[in-house]
Each structure stands twice: as structure tokens, then as C-alpha cells.
Amino acid sequence: LGLPLDGNADDLVAEPATDSTFETWSECANDNLHLLSHVTSHTPRDDITRYSQLKRLKEEYLRKTPGERVASMNEPELLEGMQGQLVRFPPKFLCHQEKRSLAMKLSQTFDLAKVPFL
């Protein structure tokens, strides 16, 4: 959940519907998004505003060998700083894409969950 393992956040788990828990998880999700966006080129982020950009990044990434994929990462050791699996969805991601065509393209040609990072 992105909480510290030292036991200092036990009260957040005991009562997850509090403002402090939401703030902790939101901060964790923002930090994780910034880490992923910095390390990899194909992570959804605000500067990818059209499907064509996303598709190009995905295709470039998939053309690489596993070794090239690792080499293309910016400071991969930063991923050790990720806390849990919470990642904020970037609000401007694909914001300039026409919604009808986006839904069709995403459902037919792209599954974010299937894009390996390494």
C-alpha cells in the first residue's frame, strides 16, 4: 500500500477512511508516478496527450532487445524508491485525443498491462 514498514503507519491501516490516510496514499501515488515517468519513456504521463504519441513510444520500446530496454531506462536504481503499487493516473494523459477514437484504439490495439518494463 505504500506505507512505511516501520509500524508508524499502523493507525492509517486501522482507519483507512481518514484524511491523513488519503494524503499519505496520494503522496505515495504521486511519488511513484514521478519515479516511473523519470525512469521509463512509455509510462503514462501528462506530456503524452495523443494516442499516436503513446503508440510510437510503445512500438519503439517493443522493438528493443531486453538489454536495450534496460539500457534505455534513466537511473533504474530509482525504482527501489517506489513504495507499494499505488500510481496516480496523470490527469492530462491523452487529453487531446478524441474520446470515441481513443476508446476504440485502446480496446483493439493496446493494453497497458501487457507492456513489460524489462
Side-chain angles (χ1 to χ4, degrees):
L1 297 175
L3 298 173
L5 300 177
D6 59 10
N8 290 334
D10 289 348
D11 58 327
L12 297 177
V13 176
E15 187 53 54
T18 64
D19 288 342
S20 61
T21 301
F22 180 77
E23 289 171 19
T24 299
W25 285 344
S26 293
E27 183 179 315
C28 174
N30 284 329
D31 291 347
N32 286 345
L33 173 65
H34 292 298
L35 282 172
L36 285 173
S37 295
H38 176 76
V39 174
T40 66
S41 63
H42 57 280
T43 298
R45 57 185 186 273
D46 284 338
D47 64 335
I48 300 173
T49 60
R50 298 202 177 273
Y51 177 77
S52 58
Q53 292 172 288
L54 180 63
K55 183 178 178 187
R56 180 183 51 78
L57 290 169
K58 174 196 169 200
E59 289 170 350
E60 287 173 4
Y61 180 78
L62 292 176
R63 277 194 297 268
K64 295 177 180 180
T65 66
E68 291 171 330
R69 290 177 186 176
V70 170
S72 73
M73 297 172 81
N74 281 324
E75 302 177 275
E77 65 277 2
L78 292 178
L79 293 178
E80 294 175 15
M82 285 198 61
Q83 297 179 4
Q85 297 179 8
L86 299 173
V87 179
R88 181 180 64 89
F89 188 84
K92 294 180 183 177
F93 175 63
L94 301 181
C95 67
H96 294 132
Q97 182 66 42
E98 183 180 327
K99 304 230 182 323
R100 285 184 313 208
S101 66
L102 173 64
M104 182 67 77
K105 289 175 181 176
L106 287 176
S107 67
Q108 292 178 352
T109 63
F110 192 75
D111 184 352
L112 285 174
K114 292 182 180 177
V115 176
F117 281 102
L118 298 176

